């Protein structure tokens, strides 16, 4: 009897050991492939990218094809009428950052969103033709392709054009998203015509065709940037502006250029951090926060411990205070990037950190150096078989941007102007404050939080990450990096585990539902973090679709925070 039990016990241990060997993550397993990997918010767009890799394209070809495809398959954030950032690390170590952020039209003025009494007019910078910045995505995607891609414009745009013309089957997530916005689209005839099925909501399985957008893509395919910034598309955008009282002119469009910028470079425990410089605040803040954390034994404190959350929140509070004062378009404002990402500065900035008590944002000045509407941006990560890596974040700002389609183009226009500081120390949609560095000026780029980032180790790309989520983008990116580097999580857990966020003002900690255990929360409150707000998983804190080099190939993870995304090839 005893012997039998012993055998049972041994068999059970064997089962446990086998399971432990195969199930190594809490979250659903990441996709795996030896031939490169694409992760994005749209299954169809990820398939487009994976197909480009399969046909011998490099990561840049795939990322550009995904960018155009997202404009068709994920129109709430994928776009031709918005802007984005792409951070690239080629396998030979070359790094680059393409800034195709929207610009304020030449006729924009500093106080354009204020009334006669100097108060911000509600919704003018989000829901009007005046909200639209000069779009940058088309110029950026084409410039990136030309400099680092291997395929022709035709090859990378054709899949998006086909998806627009022939249509694709809507999944539940996208059909519902269109339906939710119907009242807002109804304000604009061209928008309502596209995002409803003859006035009724689209349903799952309906084929969604976008004829005008297909033609707009075809003009870009044929004529490159002139196929968007000049000619018919430009004429129609300008006509839309004139009809609705917007500011964008032919001169604005023809004059738009993407800009190659030196990426923000940092290091964290032997890893290289390559991220987006201004006009994004993302790279600077991520590196600054990692610098503040590097002095502490983050791994020993442990994921989810009150001690670690306290350290991270205090780092976030200080970094976001600096954001409000120092970050803006570097072509207009002297942003002290080098000083902000300096390790000595981080030590000095964190010197008043008290491990036993929360500080108050009211006492944290910038260093001398749950919203009513769901926002939307989208992030895609790509790595190819050779280890070329692309981290790409793109946006219309809020979900479907201004909701305005330039009639006849199928192109949704952004409402990125809200990312400027319309008035000093007055919160924008994300509650972010800004001052002179981010004041409106003609031709200036509005400050962003988008943080496309690549982490490299031993001369090779290790992790490609980033996310949507407005102000929470930067802390999401920080947490994915810390989860991998400090907590040793595999990609699926690093992306899926609960996240929290602090942005200096408003002075509160946001955490995903059940993200803090009751006793963690109690300890945080005892330290003085008394304003803790829970929000549902997948709302507000964004989906960090990421890829990572692993033994024998690459892992890809579409963040479970949102349905509809996918990593592949699968
Ligand atoms: O550039 C920015 O920081 C914002 N316009 C991003 C908006 C965003 O992430 C909305 N997403 N969920």
């Amino acid at each position: 009897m005893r012997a039998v039990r012993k055998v049972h016990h041994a068999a059970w241990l064997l089962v446990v050991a086998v399971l432990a060997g195969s199930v190594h993550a809490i979250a659903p397993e990441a996709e795996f492939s030896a031939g490169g990997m694409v992760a994005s918010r749209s299954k169809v767009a990820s398939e487009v990218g994976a197909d480009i890799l399969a046909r011998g394209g490099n990561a840049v070809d795939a990322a550009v094809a995904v960018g155009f495809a997202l404009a068709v398959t994920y129109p709430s954030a994928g776009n031709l009428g918005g802007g984005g950032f792409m951070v690239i690390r080629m396998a030979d170590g070359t790094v680059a950052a393409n800034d195709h952020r929207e610009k304020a039209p030449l006729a924009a003025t500093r106080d354009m969103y204020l009334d006669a009494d100097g108060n911000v007019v509600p919704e003018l910078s989000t829901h009007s033709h005046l909200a639209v910045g000069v779009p940058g995505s088309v110029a950026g995607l084409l410039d990136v392709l030309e400099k680092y891609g291997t395929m022709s414009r035709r090859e990378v745009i054709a899949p998006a054009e086909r998806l627009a013309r022939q249509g694709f089957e809507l999944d539940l997530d996208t059909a519902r998203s269109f339906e939710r916005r119907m009242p807002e689209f109804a304000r604009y005839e061209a928008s309502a015509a596209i995002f409803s099925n003859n006035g009724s909501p689209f349903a799952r399985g309906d084929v969604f065709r976008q004829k005008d957008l297909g033609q707009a893509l075809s003009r870009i395919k044929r004529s490159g940037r002139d196929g968007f910034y000049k000619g018919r598309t430009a004429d129609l955008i300008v006509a839309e502006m004139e009809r609705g009282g917007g500011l964008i002119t032919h001169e604005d469009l023809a004059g738009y250029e993407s800009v190659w910028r030196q990426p923000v470079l940092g290091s964290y425990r032997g890893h290289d951090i390559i991220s987006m410089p201004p006009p994004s605040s993302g790279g600077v803040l991520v590196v600054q926060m990692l610098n503040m954390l590097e002095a502490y034994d983050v791994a020993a404190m442990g994921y989810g411990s009150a001690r670690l959350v306290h350290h991270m929140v205090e780092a976030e509070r200080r970094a976001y205070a600096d954001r409000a004062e120092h970050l803006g378009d570097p072509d207009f404002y002297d942003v002290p990037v080098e000083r902000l990402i300096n390790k000595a500065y981080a030590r000095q900035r964190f010197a008043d950190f008290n491990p036993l008590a929360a500080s108050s944002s009211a006492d944290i000045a910038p260093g001398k150096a749950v919203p009513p509407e769901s926002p939307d941006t989208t992030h895609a990560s790509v790595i190819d078989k050779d280890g070329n890596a692309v981290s790409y974040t793109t946006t219309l700002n809020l979900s479907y941007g201004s909701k305005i389609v330039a009639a006849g183009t199928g192109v949704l226009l952004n409402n990125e102007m809200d990312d400027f500081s319309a008035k000093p120390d007055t919160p924008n949609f994300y509650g972010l404050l800004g001052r002179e560095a981010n004041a409106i000026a003609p031709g200036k780029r509005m400050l962003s939080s988008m943080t496309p980032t690549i982490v490299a180790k031993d001369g090779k790309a290790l992790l490609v990450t980033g996310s949507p989520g407005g102000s929470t983008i930067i802390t999401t990116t920080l947490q994915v990096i810390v989860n991998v580097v400090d907590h040793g999580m595999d990609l699926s857990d690093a992306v899926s585990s609960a996240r929290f966020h602090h942005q200096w003002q408003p002075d509160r900690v946001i955490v995903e539902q059940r993200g803090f255990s009751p006793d963690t929360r109690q300890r945080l409150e005892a330290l003085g973090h008394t304003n803790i707000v829970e929000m549902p998983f997948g709302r507000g804190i964004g989906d960090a679709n990421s890829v990572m080099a692993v033994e024998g190939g690459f892992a890809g993870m579409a963040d479970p925070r949102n349905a509809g995304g996918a990593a592949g090839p699968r």
Side-chain angles (χ1 to χ4, degrees):
M1 188 64 197
R2 225 189 156 131
V4 172
R5 215 182 269 154
K6 223 172 180 175
V7 170
H8 275 165
H9 186 65
W12 172 240
L13 278 183
L14 189 70
V15 170
V16 170
V18 168
L19 281 178
S22 58
V23 182
H24 41 72
I26 302 164
E29 220 177 323
E31 295 294 334
F32 172 84
S33 148
M37 184 57 73
V38 180
S40 88
R41 176 68 171 81
S42 154
K43 181 167 173 281
V44 184
S46 290
E47 283 166 0
V48 165
D51 187 50
I52 295 273
L53 292 182
R55 283 164 36 207
N58 70 6
V60 173
D61 299 319
V64 171
V66 168
F68 281 112
L70 284 168
V72 179
T73 63
Y74 189 61
S76 60
N79 66 82
L80 302 183
F85 299 131
M86 203 178 267
V87 171
I88 298 169
R89 183 185 187 282
M90 301 304 280
D92 68 2
T94 306
V95 294
N98 185 271
D99 162 9
H100 43 276
R101 181 72 162 166
E102 300 91 328
K103 293 173 78 161
L106 293 169
T109 55
R110 188 185 181 97
D111 296 337
M112 63 188 278
Y113 301 117
L114 306 186
D115 64 17
D117 299 325
N119 299 317
V120 176
V121 181
E123 303 212 333
L124 206 54
S125 63
T126 53
H127 291 73
S128 82
H129 286 69
L130 284 177
V132 186
V134 184
S137 292
V138 173
L141 290 174
L142 294 178
D143 288 347
V144 167
L145 180 71
E146 196 177 311
K147 189 146 183 199
Y148 292 104
T150 66
M151 287 183 153
S152 67
R153 197 163 69 214
R154 175 168 293 277
E155 284 169 297
V156 299
I157 297 178
E161 186 191 351
R162 180 175 40 77
L163 286 163
R165 285 185 192 274
Q166 296 175 8
F168 61 97
E169 276 188 21
L170 289 175
D171 59 14
L172 182 63
D173 179 45
T174 314
R176 277 195 181 150
S177 164
F178 291 175
E179 182 173 3
R180 257 200 317 274
R181 302 284 162 193
M182 277 180 65
E184 286 177 273
F185 289 136
R187 292 165 61 181
Y188 307 104
E189 206 182 312
S191 310
I194 292 170
F195 296 106
S196 72
N197 199 353
N198 295 315
S200 301
F202 274 113
R204 183 206 324 233
D206 284 348
V207 174
F208 179 53
R209 291 189 187 82
Q210 300 168 83
K211 188 171 128 286
D212 289 345
L213 187 61
Q215 283 171 2
L217 283 160
S218 148
R219 288 192 285 275
I220 299 167
K221 196 177 76 179
R222 269 201 316 274
S223 313
R225 55 165 292 138
D226 285 357
F228 183 84
Y229 292 98
K230 292 181 180 167
R232 184 164 169 76
T233 301
D235 290 346
L236 290 167
I237 292 175
V238 171
E240 181 65 48
M241 288 290 120
E242 284 169 358
R243 215 172 14 255
L247 300 180
I248 297 173
T249 62
H250 278 291
E251 190 187 356
D252 283 311
L253 291 170
Y256 186 87
E257 303 271 2
S258 89
V259 183
W260 289 102
R261 300 197 188 272
Q262 173 62 30
V264 164
L265 302 176
S267 69
Y268 184 61
R269 299 192 209 283
H271 295 71
D272 301 320
I273 311 293
I274 303 140
S275 192
M276 194 65 209
S280 178
S281 56
V284 168
L285 262 69
V286 158
V287 169
Q288 190 182 356
M289 292 187 290
L290 288 171
N291 285 343
M292 290 185 204
L293 293 173
E294 202 173 28
Y296 299 88
D297 194 344
V298 167
M301 285 188 249
Y303 172 83
S305 69
R307 267 183 83 196
L308 179 54
V309 172
H310 176 53
H311 279 70
M312 292 178 75
V313 161
E314 293 301 328
E316 291 168 10
R317 190 195 308 278
R318 286 159 180 78
Y320 277 80
D322 282 4
R323 183 191 193 278
E325 180 71 23
H326 298 299
L327 272 296
D329 182 347
D331 296 341
F332 284 72
Y333 187 87
D334 191 12
V335 183
V337 172
E338 289 311 317
R339 191 153 54 76
L340 291 170
I341 64 171
N342 184 297
K343 288 193 192 280
Y345 174 71
R347 274 196 300 278
Q348 172 204 328
R349 191 80 178 93
F350 214 52
D352 62 350
F353 168 71
N354 179 349
L356 300 177
S359 46
S360 156
S361 289
D363 303 331
I364 297 283
K368 292 284 171 253
V370 188
E373 175 182 4
S374 76
D376 218 333
T377 293
T378 196
H379 180 80
S381 299
V382 184
I383 192 160
D384 65 25
K385 63 178 185 349
D386 301 318
N388 299 307
V390 179
S391 190
Y392 175 50
T393 315
T394 189
T395 192
L396 291 164
N397 193 23
L398 303 190
S399 206
Y400 304 93
S402 63
K403 310 340 179 242
I404 301 168
V405 167
T409 66
V411 174
L412 264 168
L413 299 170
N414 67 81
N415 56 358
E416 219 75 59
M417 291 292 285
D418 189 63
D419 277 351
F420 276 119
S421 176
K423 185 180 174 183
D425 288 332
T426 306
N428 76 351
F429 180 82
Y430 301 102
L432 291 166
L433 305 184
R435 296 171 193 157
E436 183 60 31
N438 191 32
I440 304 172
K444 186 174 176 182
R445 287 167 155 93
M446 54 297 279
L447 182 61
S448 174
S449 301
M450 294 189 287
T451 315
T453 299
I454 298 170
V455 178
K457 178 98 172 58
D458 302 328
K460 286 190 179 144
L462 171 70
L463 171 71
V464 184
T465 193
S467 91
S471 53
T472 69
I473 292 173
I474 313 172
T475 53
T476 284
T477 308
L478 172 75
Q479 286 167 94
V480 174
I481 296 172
V482 165
N483 286 347
V484 168
V485 173
D486 291 298
H487 302 312
M489 289 187 194
D490 71 2
L491 186 66
S492 58
D493 282 353
V495 164
S496 310
S497 299
R499 295 196 273 267
F500 59 89
H501 168 78
H502 195 290
Q503 61 179 51
W504 176 55
Q505 297 286 5
D507 192 349
R508 64 173 183 208
V509 180
I510 292 171
V511 61
E512 291 178 315
Q513 236 161 19
R514 291 179 287 279
F516 295 153
S517 68
D519 54 1
T520 296
R521 191 180 166 126
Q522 260 172 24
R523 280 167 186 244
L524 285 168
E525 282 167 352
L527 287 166
H529 300 284
T530 48
N531 192 4
I532 297 177
V533 182
E534 278 200 355
M535 64 159 63
F537 194 70
R539 288 273 188 85
I541 291 186
D543 48 321
N545 307 309
S546 306
V547 302
M548 187 161 134
V550 294
E551 178 90 32
F554 306 95
M557 188 69 194
D559 194 319
R561 279 171 183 77
N562 280 309
R570 343 210 244 173

